[in-house]
Amino acid sequence: MFKVQEGPMEGSGTSSSSSGELGLLPDTTSVPEVDHTLRQTVHYDVVAFPITIYYNREGDHDHNGMMFALYDNLPILKYIRALARVGLNNSPDDLSEDLSREAYERAGKIGIELPLTPQQAKQPHPLVRPLVLRARRGEQMTVTLHNWIPGRAVGLHLVAGGYDVVTADGSDVALNPSSLAPPGGTWDYMWSCDHEGVFPFHDGGNYSGDENGTNVHGLFGALVVEPPGTTWRDPITGIASHGPDGSGAFEQLDGVYLDVLPAGQSPGDIPESDTSLADYKWPKPQDYVRFEEEAHREFVVFFHDEPEFEPGHGTQEPSPCDAHSHSHSDTAHGQVGGGHDNMPIMPISYRSEPMINRERTLWRLLRTGHILERPVLNEEQHHSSWMFGDPVTPILRAYIGDPVRIRLVHAAVKETHVFHLHLYEWHAVPQDILSPRIDAISISPQTGHTIEPVWGAGNRHQVAGDVIWHCHLYPHFHEGMWGMFRTFETRQYGHDGKHLQSDDAVYAGRRIGRYPDNTRIDALLPLPGRKPPPIPTPDQPGYPLYIPGIVRQKSPRPPWPDREFKDEEKTSNNKHRQQFELPCSVTSLLGADMPPDFDYRPFPTRLERGAFNEFPVPGELFTRNRLAKQQQQEWLDDVQFSSNVSTQVCHDVVVAQRRIDYNSHGWHDKHGHLYYLAAERDPADSPGPIEPLFFRAQHGQILNLTLRNDTPEMIEETEFDHAFPPCPALPWEGECSLHVHMVKFDPICADGASVGWNYMSGARHGRKMVYRWWADREFGTIFFHDHLFANYRQKHGLFGALLVEPAGSSFLHHIEPGRQITTGIQAIIKRHPDDFRQPPWFREFCIGIADFIPMWDRNGRALNPPAQPGGHGDQGVMGLNYRNAPIRERAGDPANWFNSRVHGDPDTTIFKTYADDPVWIRLLQGSHEESHSFQIHALRWVRFRDQIDSIIRNQQTTGIAEAFTFINQAPLTAGDYLYKLSGADDLWLGCWGLIRAFDRPPAGSHPDLVTLAPVSTDEQEQEQTEKCVASLQPSAPASRERRFRIQARPVNLLYRDDDIIDPRALVYEVIDNFTPDCPGVDLTRPQHFEPLVLWCQEGDDVVVELKNCLPENLQVEPFSPEVPLERPDRPVSRQVSLHADLVTYEVRMHDGANVGLNPPQTVPPGQVREYRWNTSRPTDSPNPLGPVLLQDMADFRNHRHHGLIGALVVLPADATPHPVLSDEVTADLDVVRWHGSRMTVTRSGDDHEKDLITEEMVLLMQDGLRLFLNANGKPGFPLPDPPNEEAGEAEHEDQGQKGFNYRTEPIGPVFDPRGSDYSLNPEPATPIWQVPARRKVRFHLVGGLDKPRAHSFTIHGVTWPEHRFRSDAGMQTAPMVSSESAITSGTVRTFEFTPTHQGDHAYRNGVLKWAVPQGMWGVLRVHKAAGDSDREPPYHNDVADRLEPLS
């Protein structure tokens, strides 16, 4: 509720002060008091405060920064701000004695140090951080927001449920009264903490994503709801939320990194150890813990992007190359951020460590006479603490074995990032051990995710060290979006200890309690209830003190083990006589015998030897629970591993630069980079196209990989990249590595990176290095790549995949019978006869996605280069498996762009199979910056491959480093199946190909492909194969037919009232009967139209008769949204089609696309064609298919963004839809209709849901539109693309306008022709859907999107299960969310919730730059149901007057 301060806030001055923080206050708005006695309540006082945010030590800062903070911390923040302004003219702050005293008193209470000088005040401070509020599940939280932001009304909008949108939305939505705190005023919010998890909050008073907004300047935070009974404490000071013993009254305590303790565990219970590393017995590692029962570390991490910032004041250090007439300034870092090649910074929790800053530190050292013992260029040491000291970005700290929870929050305004954490994996669904393990996840704005690393800190092999976590989009990584996870193996007390015991000069002055650069190691309290870590000693101090690096020098190379073999090692159960754990061709571990081309120091120091494990080998020196030791025990415990061919395998891997030809049109990357196995021929000398390295291992094996760096020592500058080295003043050693995801490895010496205080684990030019990986799970697809010059090499193709296949399986060539293989993008995988899982064998098709690929045409012309070499703007092209089939090179009717009968087969991989063969897709994204949408026509899979009850999909949003396995669940008949990246940009650049299924040859014939099905003589295997094929059929044959007649026609489409139009729109229209000729259409009069939404019952055969009534002379509209490498003479097709995702059909007749060698399926002008789709779910799937995207495939460049999209909703077999009119809350149940976007659905079956009534609606997201002002029915000015860019000149993936269901409601002076502000308070033109309170709502979201940009989506004030299949199965651990990530072309989601509060709930995109300002928002209006009182639940009279009750 709204309150006005009776006087100036403490220490704030008066309303007429020059700071402007207190201005005229608006009148109060009266709302009823809410009873706080219903449940236990916790209270926070929060202030919104303006302060300059310093992102790093180099001085990158946001003068207009804003933050939420505890009100109690206000004196400290005011002190920091005032101290930083000392000496500035006209400073509005007064650094008074009273303020200093208050600040020091508060700092002493919470254990925070204060800056002493203005320069120190201009550095990042621990208290200038995003606000994290915590409560326990079941509690009620009240928050009083004090608004100190001058001239702005500010709110706390919580992206969660559990609050009344009328009084506590922290926003200003449609008919709701504002719930914002005015300047100088306060507002009280009440939140019911009903679900555990992490929930973002942000200012809801401004929905702009640019510098005029508040979110981009830092006005965000998070609510974390902990398990009941828990408490939390500071891991350094021990200050606790409920007193020193955990049983006291609640005290306001925030913090991004706190320990969470279970009920009954005292924060003051700090166990101490009396043992050292020499005699310490490590506890058995725990893969899973119950977080409500065990103390754990909790780290809250905020990603945010593209803030307005200025670089540090003063002259920026120039590159040494400037003196050699080379430009190596790394483009225009700073100023306002953003833009094409003016690199922004990408912060984490108000911190950023961009590479350019560390480069400038290096250049300054070189200029002032610092001597480097080994050359350092840039990226190979970007993350090195030896060279640059620890980063200012977050360092998460724990002891080996500590349980860990990471609460990941995307608080940014634009990008979809990919979070990746080295060394660890976690389950895709928290607390669900059946869900797949992953180590990278796409996250979009205003979403929160909980990550629970399996095995806790140090993983199962209990290893200390530094590992990096970061956004995997390489430009973002480069721009500072990274931090570290530091695992200690000895106790850290926070004070100085003894000096190390060594005569080696490299350790001179080094002591316990200090990092090698003499920086203090902060205390880290052990977790209560766990065995404490060992005590550090001078001869065994623990990580990182034993590593013999030199500060301000390149990270040291790792040591060779230099030892004899021990007797225990000489007894091995390895079947293939590999006696010891060695790389290929290595026979001795003595330093004197080390091969000269191995990139190690031959002899370790004494302190290093003291840190080795008992049997150190190359690639694994410092694990406390060795890989082979654990492997041996697992193999004894589990008989499946006895069928493996060996316990360990070795491969020699080569990394090289080669020209890679991407297609037959001459497109090539002249500096392509790739891995290959030395045992196989150099791909450049082999027939056929070059492909990325996909190689295989059996589950349970350990791999010893020796990488040889054959990359060139000099690489010339191109239109895309600087030269390597860029000039004589900046030489390099060109280290290259194998960094792998998911599997177990030693990160200190073999991460394939150079992180923190670890070793440099990459080989120099002409050298070799060993990597040792344990495939301890049947992971499927595992990504690997170089991590030392990744921002250059990966876009050139340097990535691959390890495929962890079933234990005991055989890897067979797909064409040559009986040939065993290790590598290849096509294979047959045959399970061992003792492995009775289904299917007994499968075809494996591997796809590696790449973007930002530097590319030249046959004439040597660069294709889509950046503005200058090394720029980070969108650039290059895209590809699949080092191949593409660019549509821009295919002339003629767009309806035939995928037609092999017209253009021949594409240059991309044609995967071959027989009908009914089991098919597994192994997918990864190897580079570089974009999100993509992967789909396969007519095939489908379960979302999580080992959970057959998870949702059925045929679309997957991907970001770099994400890897997937999809097992086809659809009938596979003969024909050509289109696999594709669905965004218009991706398809245009050639990211599509074919899966070609042949009719199965008769038994006894000579097959063209190897197949294990028709020629099998093993009756048991044949029976298993037949069973597997049968399981792919729909659960029931169609018992009825539901027929629709639809015509595709033009319309002058009104997107908002009478001022925004698409005069060249095309729509699907349901009609009763066709007329002989297409009806006339008046295109001079704009009109409203609803997109096509069909409904059916599961089991229906949906039959669509489509008539083509498109007009003649279709042309590309003016200012058409462009794609990379646009073709100015692009034609527009007069043909039309209707393609359906997810349902099953005969691909040669009903795909709605002219694909490969399939017969034509598009509809010529004036003609009618029938499409037939089966809507049954696969066997064992728990739910009907739900929403399905419908779209035209006759011209994806024109028809889709002009409106030829729609949806089909597959309901339960006993469900009936009843239309809800625009002014109604629910339907007349006597009326039945099978098309329309808003329905009330009833059930009539005999199951437990027979009486259930749901309110359902379908929302189609649209982007890439080109809308115009309405000039008397004709197009006027085009609506603008993002600011400062003319229409048609924006970043390709952001070009055009956005909307929902052929409607848009732009806001703000940039996008709204009416010049509105950035609030959501007008009545929107987008759908306003009305529903009664306390009735289940099923909100179907369909990504009818044109562009590859990924989006998020949220609905204010409600929550739903993120993974509905778990909720349906009664799983209490299903995460509840109010926003979801990674929504793009082809994505479909169903959000199921029951609104309890009356009022206007905004639904919207979570992307504030620029989706919401461009119109992607609407209203779900909840009315009270019949019989409800105004106070049950808390409804309010001022809103009830506007909302009629349901009768």
Side-chain angles (χ1 to χ4, degrees), residues 25-146:
L25 302 182
D27 293 335
T28 59
T29 300
S30 176
V31 293
E33 293 286 339
V34 179
D35 186 358
H36 291 189
T37 64
L38 299 178
R39 61 169 86 185
Q40 184 173 347
T41 299
V42 296
H43 179 76
Y44 287 93
D45 283 286
V46 171
V47 62
F49 186 71
I51 189 170
T52 299
I53 296 176
Y54 290 90
Y55 293 107
N56 46 53
R57 302 183 189 97
E58 288 73 25
D60 292 336
H61 61 283
D62 180 357
H63 279 302
N64 299 315
M66 309 175 194
M67 63 180 292
F68 292 119
L70 290 184
Y71 191 81
D72 286 346
N73 292 334
L74 187 58
I76 296 177
L77 298 175
K78 292 177 65 182
Y79 168 85
I80 293 171
R81 187 177 68 174
L83 182 59
R85 294 177 176 179
V86 167
L88 300 180
N89 293 331
N90 302 318
S91 171
D93 285 49
D94 181 13
L95 188 60
S96 65
E97 290 184 7
D98 288 345
L99 176 58
S100 297
R101 184 185 68 255
E102 293 173 7
Y104 273 92
E105 287 176 355
R106 177 62 179 170
K109 182 176 180 180
I110 63 177
I112 289 287
E113 294 183 359
L114 293 183
L116 302 177
T117 66
Q119 189 57 40
Q120 290 177 0
K122 296 175 183 177
Q123 292 287 302
H125 188 272
L127 210 60
V128 180
R129 65 196 182 204
L131 177 65
V132 178
L133 305 179
R134 287 174 174 84
R136 301 180 283 202
R137 179 166 57 85
E139 290 181 333
Q140 186 166 265
M141 178 184 291
T142 59
V143 181
T144 298
L145 173 64
H146 304 254

Side-chain angles (χ1 to χ4, degrees), residues 378-511:
N378 46 34
E379 192 177 359
E380 84 276 33
Q381 288 289 277
H382 183 189
H383 317 114
S384 169
S385 297
W386 293 104
M387 187 69 229
F388 297 110
D390 277 343
V392 72
T393 46
I395 298 177
L396 316 180
R397 303 186 312 143
Y399 293 115
I400 288 176
D402 285 351
V404 169
R405 259 183 169 166
I406 297 174
R407 307 288 196 174
L408 180 62
V409 178
H410 192 321
V413 295
K414 183 180 181 182
E415 301 283 355
T416 289
H417 300 286
V418 176
F419 175 86
H420 168 54
L421 170 62
H422 286 206
L423 185 69
Y424 297 93
E425 77 267 19
W426 60 89
H427 286 282
V429 182
Q431 300 288 288
D432 181 1
I433 64 174
L434 297 179
S435 65
R437 293 191 187 185
I438 61 175
D439 71 350
I441 183 173
S442 287
I443 57 170
S444 302
Q446 301 190 354
T447 60
H449 305 264
T450 294
I451 291 169
E452 298 168 352
V454 181
W455 304 104
N459 213 309
R460 70 180 301 177
H461 42 308
Q462 298 175 303
V463 62
D466 285 342
V467 296
I468 196 171
W469 49 269
H470 56 95
C471 174
H472 221 299
L473 281 63
Y474 279 106
H476 298 182
F477 194 8
H478 188 105
E479 291 154 6
M481 194 170 263
W482 63 280
M484 292 196 301
F485 186 168
R486 177 164 292 160
T487 301
F488 293 109
E489 58 194 343
T490 55
R491 177 78 152 87
Q492 305 302 322
Y493 294 97
H495 57 72
D496 290 350
K498 296 179 179 180
H499 284 86
L500 302 193
Q501 184 177 311
S502 174
D503 295 330
D504 196 317
V506 75
Y507 299 110
R510 203 177 292 187
R511 67 189 308 167

Side-chain angles (χ1 to χ4, degrees), residues 1353-1387:
F1353 188 82
T1354 181
I1355 305 175
H1356 289 204
V1358 297
T1359 58
W1360 56 83
E1362 184 176 17
H1363 301 285
R1364 189 158 42 92
F1365 74 96
R1366 290 186 54 78
S1367 178
D1368 292 344
M1371 303 289 187
Q1372 297 303 310
T1373 57
M1376 300 296 290
V1377 298
S1378 292
S1379 56
E1380 294 202 20
S1381 291
I1383 296 164
T1384 186
S1385 178
T1387 301

Side-chain angles (χ1 to χ4, degrees), residues 1048-1050 1065-1066 1083 1108-1114 1133-1134 1165:
R1049 69 173 180 89
L1066 305 172
L1083 297 180
N1108 183 350
C1109 289
L1110 300 192
E1112 298 180 357
N1113 301 319
L1114 284 173
S1133 181
R1134 281 199 68 203

Side-chain angles (χ1 to χ4, degrees), residues 276-287:
S276 66
L277 275 170
D279 54 359
Y280 189 79
K281 303 300 183 185
W282 293 94
K284 183 178 179 181
Q286 292 178 274
D287 47 0

Side-chain angles (χ1 to χ4, degrees), residues 891-913:
D893 190 337
N896 291 319
W897 279 344
F898 305 110
N899 191 338
S900 296
R901 299 174 187 271
V902 175
H903 294 286
D905 281 338
D907 290 313
T908 46
T909 307
I910 297 180
F911 295 104
K912 297 180 179 180
T913 180

Side-chain angles (χ1 to χ4, degrees), residues 980-1192:
K980 65 181 182 180
L981 304 185
S982 298
D985 302 44
D986 309 45
L987 282 171
W988 183 254
L989 293 175
C991 292
W992 64 281
L994 303 176
I995 296 176
R996 179 159 288 162
F998 299 95
D999 284 316
R1000 187 176 299 281
S1005 67
H1006 180 72
D1008 295 321
L1009 298 172
V1010 171
T1011 180
L1012 304 185
V1015 295
S1016 173
T1017 57
D1018 185 320
E1019 294 183 1
Q1020 181 182 15
E1021 181 176 301
Q1022 180 66 18
E1023 181 180 346
Q1024 289 177 341
T1025 300
E1026 292 173 355
K1027 180 180 178 181
C1028 176
V1029 170
S1031 71
L1032 301 181
Q1033 305 303 316
S1035 56
S1039 58
R1040 54 191 173 270
E1041 179 182 286
R1042 193 167 307 280
R1043 185 172 292 268
F1044 298 94
R1045 292 185 177 88
I1046 297 170
Q1047 63 182 10
R1049 69 173 180 89
V1051 64
N1052 191 342
L1053 190 56
L1054 197 57
Y1055 268 77
R1056 185 175 73 174
D1057 297 342
D1058 58 357
D1059 69 336
I1060 300 176
I1061 62 173
D1062 178 0
R1064 301 185 184 218
L1066 305 172
V1067 297
Y1068 295 117
E1069 181 181 25
V1070 177
I1071 59 175
D1072 293 331
N1073 292 290
F1074 295 128
T1075 57
D1077 297 318
C1078 289
V1081 178
D1082 181 6
L1083 297 180
T1084 64
R1085 184 177 61 85
Q1087 60 179 297
H1088 294 300
F1089 210 89
E1090 188 176 75
L1092 175 71
V1093 179
L1094 308 178
W1095 302 72
C1096 72
Q1097 295 172 324
E1098 182 179 25
D1100 286 353
D1101 254 2
V1102 172
V1103 181
V1104 170
E1105 299 175 48
L1106 177 64
K1107 183 171 184 177
N1108 183 350
C1109 289
L1110 300 192
E1112 298 180 357
N1113 301 319
L1114 284 173
Q1115 296 179 346
V1116 177
E1117 75 273 17
F1119 307 107
S1120 174
E1122 294 182 345
V1123 296
L1125 302 179
E1126 184 62 274
R1127 194 171 71 199
D1129 60 343
R1130 169 173 62 87
V1132 176
S1133 181
R1134 281 199 68 203
Q1135 300 201 48
V1136 73
S1137 74
L1138 193 59
H1139 166 75
D1141 290 343
L1142 209 56
V1143 294
T1144 60
Y1145 49 82
E1146 167 51 63
V1147 73
R1148 289 175 293 188
M1149 296 177 62
H1150 304 296
D1151 189 32
N1154 300 332
V1155 171
L1157 299 176
N1158 295 342
Q1161 298 177 38
T1162 54
V1163 187
Q1167 296 188 24
V1168 177
R1169 182 181 179 90
E1170 183 177 287
Y1171 300 104
R1172 180 179 294 268
W1173 310 317
N1174 182 275
T1175 61
S1176 299
R1177 73 185 94 172
T1179 303
D1180 299 325
S1181 180
N1183 292 303
L1185 298 180
V1188 172
L1189 172 65
L1190 307 177
Q1191 62 178 312
D1192 171 81

